[in-house]
Amino acid sequence: MTTDLLHALRHCVGDRHVLTKAQDRAPFELDWRKRWQGHALAVVQPASTAQVAEAVRLCAQHGVTVVPQGGNTGLVGGGVPDASGRQVLLSLRRMNIVRHIDADNLTLTAEAGCLLQQAQEAARQAGLMFPLSLASEGTCTLGGNLATNAGGTQVLRFGNARDLCLGLEVVTADGLIWDGLSGLRKDNTGYDLKSLFVGSEGTLGIITAATLKLFPAPRGTITALATCTELADALGLLNLARRSLDAELTGFEVMNALSRSLVATHFPSIRQPVPVAPWTVLLELSSTDEDAVARDRLTACLTVASDQGWIHDAVLADNLAQSQGLWHLRESISMAQAAEGLNIKHDIALPVSAIPDFVAHTDAALAAAIPGVRLVNFGHLGDGNLHYNVQAPIGADPARFLVEQEALANRIVYDNVAARGGSISAEHGIGQLKRDTLPTYRSPIALQLMRQVKQALDPQGLMNPGRLL
Ligand SMILES: Cc1cc2nc3c(=O)[nH]c(=O)nc-3n(C[C@H](O)[C@H](O)[C@H](O)COP(=O)(O)OP(=O)(O)OC[C@H]3O[C@@H](n4cnc5c(N)ncnc54)[C@H](O)[C@@H]3O)c2cc1C
């Protein structure tokens, strides 16, 4: 039975693209955080939508479940197989062609296995911009971005992956191809099918291509770092920047002191141009005006914030390389944390106004419950999205800490999130990591509706089972 399936899959995608040897499968079977080690029946690498459809049909005929995977940078264990050795891992990476750029319509149509960076570069070469931006952009794929409804650093101005998606091509659970590659900004012809697949984490079907929104490239981009004593001061700066810079404010990130210290420890070559402070804000202004005009506007905003006593040290990047250096500092926090050891990650969303109160209460509750605990707190303050991560006390074994304290830390953090109307997953998704936690924090009706959608689109339960629901 299994031999028949493998034979048919080889016939479909070619011998070389059905990986069954352990050493060939290995890079696909372990997730980026090294928390979930799976074992697939085979890694199948189709090169076209027709091959994806055929592979899905073959798996369905044999009752074999399918785990789609893009760049394998997901942080919730959604894209690696389980340990049964019975699942087919469908890697989309060979489907990496940018099919079309329509400069007048401001759209790009590309295959799901395109790296995010590749799509950004294709837009740039057309004198345009694709604004989705994540620290993993050199490895993650458009399909993965859409399947997780990725956020990143530009959501404040341009929205998340869902907001950037105009159309999709999808292979359904029964192996049909839905061509929904519309470049329309208005289309009220019934249910918004693409929105069902965006954020579905591979549980409803396989995204094979997408039509995405592009934007005119900004002429002037200025990045700054500023330090604050209180998170409430960072909020004061955010409100000021929103009022004075309006849509030109494209990034507003925060990092706590430990986030920056970990970067200093593990990546000492990364420049830290302002002293470590309780909070550091990274702001970015992107403008249709020249750099000099944009610089004046951002300087004026920071001067008002300084007069208010909200910020202390501040620095503006002088050129693109310096600007990239400031972003590099911010984007190295996840890697620095990984180098420090396994940790308990919380990717949470809150009303921005509730964040200072949330952090004060949750920091205190965790410190009382887990003496010596270290909190690595950073994220997209402008979007109300924090990466509120819990690291083992100095000297403690990180792996043991994770096993012993994860349930307690999660309860404290998520109860405080729920009490303030927040979400337990802002941008990383649910995957395996939060599957069993989700029912506590989403309403029974919401869960029932999600199950009904799953049942309607994947009645045999073949698409990425055990994830999300
Ligand atoms: C250093 C680092 C920084 C990160 N920063 C951010 C950030 O700022 N914001 C953010 O949102 N995320 C971030 N992430 C998480 C991750 O990069 C994103 O979730 C990304 O969108 C995943 O893309 P991928 O191609 O790697 O997907 P994978 O990890 O391969 O898969 C993720 C999920 O999508 C499903 N999937 C993948 N491809 C398809 C497809 N074609 N069709 C259907 N389902 C599919 C998988 O089954 C899985 O459930 C970061 C990760 C790292 C390692």
Side-chain angles (χ1 to χ4, degrees), residues 174-197:
D174 41 10
L176 299 176
I177 299 170
W178 170 53
D179 180 354
L181 286 175
S182 150
L184 302 177
R185 279 157 171 89
K186 289 188 164 183
D187 181 11
N188 279 349
T189 51
Y191 301 134
D192 184 3
L193 296 177
K194 72 175 181 312
S195 268
L196 277 181
F197 292 99

PDB file of all heavy atoms in Angstrom, residues 174-197:
ATOM      1  N   ASP A 174      -9.372  17.600  -1.687  1.00  0.00           N
ATOM      2  CA  ASP A 174      -9.645  16.487  -2.602  1.00  0.00           C
ATOM      3  C   ASP A 174      -8.883  16.618  -3.916  1.00  0.00           C
ATOM      4  O   ASP A 174      -9.201  15.956  -4.909  1.00  0.00           O
ATOM      5  CB  ASP A 174     -11.157  16.274  -2.826  1.00  0.00           C
ATOM      6  CG  ASP A 174     -11.901  17.568  -2.973  1.00  0.00           C
ATOM      7  OD1 ASP A 174     -11.228  18.609  -3.090  1.00  0.00           O
ATOM      8  OD2 ASP A 174     -13.146  17.549  -2.970  1.00  0.00           O
ATOM      9  N   GLY A 175      -7.889  17.526  -3.933  1.00  0.00           N
ATOM     10  CA  GLY A 175      -6.993  17.586  -5.090  1.00  0.00           C
ATOM     11  C   GLY A 175      -7.513  18.424  -6.246  1.00  0.00           C
ATOM     12  O   GLY A 175      -7.016  18.300  -7.367  1.00  0.00           O
ATOM     13  N   LEU A 176      -8.504  19.284  -6.011  1.00  0.00           N
ATOM     14  CA  LEU A 176      -8.967  20.192  -7.065  1.00  0.00           C
ATOM     15  C   LEU A 176      -8.150  21.479  -7.012  1.00  0.00           C
ATOM     16  O   LEU A 176      -7.644  21.854  -5.947  1.00  0.00           O
ATOM     17  CB  LEU A 176     -10.450  20.523  -6.872  1.00  0.00           C
ATOM     18  CG  LEU A 176     -11.406  19.331  -6.920  1.00  0.00           C
ATOM     19  CD1 LEU A 176     -12.832  19.785  -6.624  1.00  0.00           C
ATOM     20  CD2 LEU A 176     -11.320  18.645  -8.289  1.00  0.00           C
ATOM     21  N   ILE A 177      -8.050  22.161  -8.153  1.00  0.00           N
ATOM     22  CA  ILE A 177      -7.311  23.435  -8.179  1.00  0.00           C
ATOM     23  C   ILE A 177      -8.317  24.581  -8.228  1.00  0.00           C
ATOM     24  O   ILE A 177      -9.111  24.676  -9.169  1.00  0.00           O
ATOM     25  CB  ILE A 177      -6.383  23.501  -9.416  1.00  0.00           C
ATOM     26  CG1 ILE A 177      -5.353  22.370  -9.359  1.00  0.00           C
ATOM     27  CG2 ILE A 177      -5.675  24.864  -9.467  1.00  0.00           C
ATOM     28  CD1 ILE A 177      -4.549  22.195 -10.648  1.00  0.00           C
ATOM     29  N   TRP A 178      -8.303  25.417  -7.176  1.00  0.00           N
ATOM     30  CA  TRP A 178      -9.144  26.625  -7.184  1.00  0.00           C
ATOM     31  C   TRP A 178      -8.274  27.784  -7.649  1.00  0.00           C
ATOM     32  O   TRP A 178      -7.330  28.169  -6.960  1.00  0.00           O
ATOM     33  CB  TRP A 178      -9.715  26.907  -5.783  1.00  0.00           C
ATOM     34  CG  TRP A 178     -10.370  28.272  -5.730  1.00  0.00           C
ATOM     35  CD1 TRP A 178     -11.330  28.741  -6.576  1.00  0.00           C
ATOM     36  CD2 TRP A 178     -10.088  29.333  -4.819  1.00  0.00           C
ATOM     37  NE1 TRP A 178     -11.665  30.031  -6.247  1.00  0.00           N
ATOM     38  CE2 TRP A 178     -10.926  30.417  -5.181  1.00  0.00           C
ATOM     39  CE3 TRP A 178      -9.225  29.473  -3.746  1.00  0.00           C
ATOM     40  CZ2 TRP A 178     -10.894  31.634  -4.496  1.00  0.00           C
ATOM     41  CZ3 TRP A 178      -9.199  30.681  -3.055  1.00  0.00           C
ATOM     42  CH2 TRP A 178     -10.041  31.743  -3.434  1.00  0.00           C
ATOM     43  N   ASP A 179      -8.597  28.346  -8.816  1.00  0.00           N
ATOM     44  CA  ASP A 179      -7.845  29.499  -9.318  1.00  0.00           C
ATOM     45  C   ASP A 179      -8.559  30.771  -8.884  1.00  0.00           C
ATOM     46  O   ASP A 179      -9.498  31.217  -9.528  1.00  0.00           O
ATOM     47  CB  ASP A 179      -7.726  29.437 -10.845  1.00  0.00           C
ATOM     48  CG  ASP A 179      -6.951  30.635 -11.392  1.00  0.00           C
ATOM     49  OD1 ASP A 179      -6.617  31.547 -10.596  1.00  0.00           O
ATOM     50  OD2 ASP A 179      -6.678  30.663 -12.599  1.00  0.00           O
ATOM     51  N   GLY A 180      -8.106  31.319  -7.784  1.00  0.00           N
ATOM     52  CA  GLY A 180      -8.692  32.571  -7.278  1.00  0.00           C
ATOM     53  C   GLY A 180      -7.662  33.688  -7.331  1.00  0.00           C
ATOM     54  O   GLY A 180      -7.625  34.536  -6.440  1.00  0.00           O
ATOM     55  N   LEU A 181      -6.814  33.655  -8.375  1.00  0.00           N
ATOM     56  CA  LEU A 181      -5.720  34.644  -8.460  1.00  0.00           C
ATOM     57  C   LEU A 181      -6.231  35.982  -8.998  1.00  0.00           C
ATOM     58  O   LEU A 181      -5.823  36.438 -10.062  1.00  0.00           O
ATOM     59  CB  LEU A 181      -4.600  34.106  -9.345  1.00  0.00           C
ATOM     60  CG  LEU A 181      -3.748  33.011  -8.710  1.00  0.00           C
ATOM     61  CD1 LEU A 181      -2.738  32.460  -9.708  1.00  0.00           C
ATOM     62  CD2 LEU A 181      -3.044  33.541  -7.464  1.00  0.00           C
ATOM     63  N   SER A 182      -7.110  36.585  -8.250  1.00  0.00           N
ATOM     64  CA  SER A 182      -7.664  37.865  -8.669  1.00  0.00           C
ATOM     65  C   SER A 182      -6.760  39.006  -8.215  1.00  0.00           C
ATOM     66  O   SER A 182      -6.163  38.947  -7.147  1.00  0.00           O
ATOM     67  CB  SER A 182      -9.042  38.005  -8.027  1.00  0.00           C
ATOM     68  OG  SER A 182      -9.337  39.349  -7.804  1.00  0.00           O
ATOM     69  N   GLY A 183      -6.650  40.030  -9.049  1.00  0.00           N
ATOM     70  CA  GLY A 183      -5.905  41.220  -8.629  1.00  0.00           C
ATOM     71  C   GLY A 183      -6.864  42.353  -8.285  1.00  0.00           C
ATOM     72  O   GLY A 183      -6.480  43.517  -8.342  1.00  0.00           O
ATOM     73  N   LEU A 184      -8.105  41.985  -7.930  1.00  0.00           N
ATOM     74  CA  LEU A 184      -9.124  43.014  -7.687  1.00  0.00           C
ATOM     75  C   LEU A 184      -9.069  43.523  -6.255  1.00  0.00           C
ATOM     76  O   LEU A 184      -8.876  42.752  -5.327  1.00  0.00           O
ATOM     77  CB  LEU A 184     -10.522  42.438  -7.950  1.00  0.00           C
ATOM     78  CG  LEU A 184     -10.774  41.885  -9.352  1.00  0.00           C
ATOM     79  CD1 LEU A 184     -12.167  41.276  -9.441  1.00  0.00           C
ATOM     80  CD2 LEU A 184     -10.598  42.991 -10.390  1.00  0.00           C
ATOM     81  N   ARG A 185      -9.288  44.838  -6.128  1.00  0.00           N
ATOM     82  CA  ARG A 185      -9.391  45.415  -4.780  1.00  0.00           C
ATOM     83  C   ARG A 185     -10.823  45.476  -4.307  1.00  0.00           C
ATOM     84  O   ARG A 185     -11.096  45.730  -3.138  1.00  0.00           O
ATOM     85  CB  ARG A 185      -8.730  46.788  -4.750  1.00  0.00           C
ATOM     86  CG  ARG A 185      -7.210  46.654  -4.608  1.00  0.00           C
ATOM     87  CD  ARG A 185      -6.449  47.844  -5.108  1.00  0.00           C
ATOM     88  NE  ARG A 185      -5.039  47.707  -4.746  1.00  0.00           N
ATOM     89  CZ  ARG A 185      -4.125  47.088  -5.505  1.00  0.00           C
ATOM     90  NH1 ARG A 185      -4.480  46.539  -6.637  1.00  0.00           N
ATOM     91  NH2 ARG A 185      -2.868  47.009  -5.122  1.00  0.00           N
ATOM     92  N   LYS A 186     -11.742  45.260  -5.217  1.00  0.00           N
ATOM     93  CA  LYS A 186     -13.164  45.199  -4.840  1.00  0.00           C
ATOM     94  C   LYS A 186     -13.774  43.975  -5.515  1.00  0.00           C
ATOM     95  O   LYS A 186     -13.619  43.812  -6.734  1.00  0.00           O
ATOM     96  CB  LYS A 186     -13.897  46.456  -5.304  1.00  0.00           C
ATOM     97  CG  LYS A 186     -13.527  47.703  -4.524  1.00  0.00           C
ATOM     98  CD  LYS A 186     -14.422  48.857  -4.915  1.00  0.00           C
ATOM     99  CE  LYS A 186     -14.329  49.973  -3.891  1.00  0.00           C
ATOM    100  NZ  LYS A 186     -15.241  51.076  -4.219  1.00  0.00           N
ATOM    101  N   ASP A 187     -14.437  43.136  -4.768  1.00  0.00           N
ATOM    102  CA  ASP A 187     -15.061  41.944  -5.355  1.00  0.00           C
ATOM    103  C   ASP A 187     -16.044  41.367  -4.331  1.00  0.00           C
ATOM    104  O   ASP A 187     -15.683  40.530  -3.509  1.00  0.00           O
ATOM    105  CB  ASP A 187     -13.982  40.906  -5.696  1.00  0.00           C
ATOM    106  CG  ASP A 187     -14.578  39.651  -6.328  1.00  0.00           C
ATOM    107  OD1 ASP A 187     -15.784  39.684  -6.691  1.00  0.00           O
ATOM    108  OD2 ASP A 187     -13.853  38.649  -6.458  1.00  0.00           O
ATOM    109  N   ASN A 188     -17.282  41.827  -4.414  1.00  0.00           N
ATOM    110  CA  ASN A 188     -18.286  41.345  -3.458  1.00  0.00           C
ATOM    111  C   ASN A 188     -19.165  40.292  -4.107  1.00  0.00           C
ATOM    112  O   ASN A 188     -20.342  40.515  -4.367  1.00  0.00           O
ATOM    113  CB  ASN A 188     -19.138  42.517  -2.961  1.00  0.00           C
ATOM    114  CG  ASN A 188     -18.428  43.283  -1.859  1.00  0.00           C
ATOM    115  OD1 ASN A 188     -17.417  42.830  -1.341  1.00  0.00           O
ATOM    116  ND2 ASN A 188     -18.950  44.426  -1.494  1.00  0.00           N
ATOM    117  N   THR A 189     -18.590  39.133  -4.383  1.00  0.00           N
ATOM    118  CA  THR A 189     -19.374  38.085  -5.040  1.00  0.00           C
ATOM    119  C   THR A 189     -19.497  36.864  -4.125  1.00  0.00           C
ATOM    120  O   THR A 189     -19.359  35.733  -4.564  1.00  0.00           O
ATOM    121  CB  THR A 189     -18.716  37.683  -6.388  1.00  0.00           C
ATOM    122  OG1 THR A 189     -17.324  37.398  -6.142  1.00  0.00           O
ATOM    123  CG2 THR A 189     -18.832  38.789  -7.406  1.00  0.00           C
ATOM    124  N   GLY A 190     -19.738  37.137  -2.864  1.00  0.00           N
ATOM    125  CA  GLY A 190     -19.972  36.013  -1.947  1.00  0.00           C
ATOM    126  C   GLY A 190     -18.894  35.896  -0.891  1.00  0.00           C
ATOM    127  O   GLY A 190     -18.172  36.859  -0.615  1.00  0.00           O
ATOM    128  N   TYR A 191     -18.805  34.725  -0.312  1.00  0.00           N
ATOM    129  CA  TYR A 191     -17.853  34.507   0.783  1.00  0.00           C
ATOM    130  C   TYR A 191     -16.429  34.824   0.326  1.00  0.00           C
ATOM    131  O   TYR A 191     -16.066  34.530  -0.822  1.00  0.00           O
ATOM    132  CB  TYR A 191     -17.890  33.063   1.266  1.00  0.00           C
ATOM    133  CG  TYR A 191     -19.235  32.610   1.752  1.00  0.00           C
ATOM    134  CD1 TYR A 191     -19.760  31.387   1.365  1.00  0.00           C
ATOM    135  CD2 TYR A 191     -19.989  33.420   2.612  1.00  0.00           C
ATOM    136  CE1 TYR A 191     -21.003  30.962   1.812  1.00  0.00           C
ATOM    137  CE2 TYR A 191     -21.229  32.991   3.055  1.00  0.00           C
ATOM    138  CZ  TYR A 191     -21.728  31.773   2.656  1.00  0.00           C
ATOM    139  OH  TYR A 191     -22.947  31.369   3.094  1.00  0.00           O
ATOM    140  N   ASP A 192     -15.630  35.356   1.216  1.00  0.00           N
ATOM    141  CA  ASP A 192     -14.240  35.685   0.894  1.00  0.00           C
ATOM    142  C   ASP A 192     -13.397  34.414   1.097  1.00  0.00           C
ATOM    143  O   ASP A 192     -12.848  34.178   2.171  1.00  0.00           O
ATOM    144  CB  ASP A 192     -13.774  36.818   1.814  1.00  0.00           C
ATOM    145  CG  ASP A 192     -12.369  37.272   1.468  1.00  0.00           C
ATOM    146  OD1 ASP A 192     -11.801  36.749   0.490  1.00  0.00           O
ATOM    147  OD2 ASP A 192     -11.843  38.139   2.175  1.00  0.00           O
ATOM    148  N   LEU A 193     -13.344  33.588   0.038  1.00  0.00           N
ATOM    149  CA  LEU A 193     -12.703  32.269   0.183  1.00  0.00           C
ATOM    150  C   LEU A 193     -11.226  32.377   0.531  1.00  0.00           C
ATOM    151  O   LEU A 193     -10.696  31.598   1.311  1.00  0.00           O
ATOM    152  CB  LEU A 193     -12.876  31.462  -1.106  1.00  0.00           C
ATOM    153  CG  LEU A 193     -14.327  31.114  -1.459  1.00  0.00           C
ATOM    154  CD1 LEU A 193     -14.387  30.391  -2.794  1.00  0.00           C
ATOM    155  CD2 LEU A 193     -14.947  30.249  -0.363  1.00  0.00           C
ATOM    156  N   LYS A 194     -10.547  33.376  -0.069  1.00  0.00           N
ATOM    157  CA  LYS A 194      -9.092  33.454   0.190  1.00  0.00           C
ATOM    158  C   LYS A 194      -8.821  33.672   1.672  1.00  0.00           C
ATOM    159  O   LYS A 194      -7.863  33.145   2.228  1.00  0.00           O
ATOM    160  CB  LYS A 194      -8.444  34.542  -0.659  1.00  0.00           C
ATOM    161  CG  LYS A 194      -8.764  35.958  -0.227  1.00  0.00           C
ATOM    162  CD  LYS A 194      -7.999  36.983  -1.037  1.00  0.00           C
ATOM    163  CE  LYS A 194      -8.283  38.410  -0.602  1.00  0.00           C
ATOM    164  NZ  LYS A 194      -9.699  38.768  -0.429  1.00  0.00           N
ATOM    165  N   SER A 195      -9.720  34.422   2.322  1.00  0.00           N
ATOM    166  CA  SER A 195      -9.496  34.700   3.743  1.00  0.00           C
ATOM    167  C   SER A 195      -9.602  33.448   4.605  1.00  0.00           C
ATOM    168  O   SER A 195      -9.045  33.390   5.689  1.00  0.00           O
ATOM    169  CB  SER A 195     -10.485  35.754   4.254  1.00  0.00           C
ATOM    170  OG  SER A 195      -9.894  37.012   4.111  1.00  0.00           O
ATOM    171  N   LEU A 196     -10.358  32.452   4.099  1.00  0.00           N
ATOM    172  CA  LEU A 196     -10.429  31.190   4.852  1.00  0.00           C
ATOM    173  C   LEU A 196      -9.074  30.491   4.850  1.00  0.00           C
ATOM    174  O   LEU A 196      -8.658  29.913   5.851  1.00  0.00           O
ATOM    175  CB  LEU A 196     -11.444  30.246   4.198  1.00  0.00           C
ATOM    176  CG  LEU A 196     -12.900  30.440   4.541  1.00  0.00           C
ATOM    177  CD1 LEU A 196     -13.720  29.394   3.801  1.00  0.00           C
ATOM    178  CD2 LEU A 196     -13.106  30.304   6.048  1.00  0.00           C
ATOM    179  N   PHE A 197      -8.392  30.548   3.706  1.00  0.00           N
ATOM    180  CA  PHE A 197      -7.112  29.832   3.604  1.00  0.00           C
ATOM    181  C   PHE A 197      -5.970  30.603   4.261  1.00  0.00           C
ATOM    182  O   PHE A 197      -5.038  29.997   4.787  1.00  0.00           O
ATOM    183  CB  PHE A 197      -6.797  29.521   2.134  1.00  0.00           C
ATOM    184  CG  PHE A 197      -7.739  28.506   1.539  1.00  0.00           C
ATOM    185  CD1 PHE A 197      -8.805  28.900   0.753  1.00  0.00           C
ATOM    186  CD2 PHE A 197      -7.578  27.160   1.800  1.00  0.00           C
ATOM    187  CE1 PHE A 197      -9.695  27.971   0.222  1.00  0.00           C
ATOM    188  CE2 PHE A 197      -8.452  26.216   1.294  1.00  0.00           C
ATOM    189  CZ  PHE A 197      -9.518  26.624   0.495  1.00  0.00           C
TER     190      PHE A 197
END
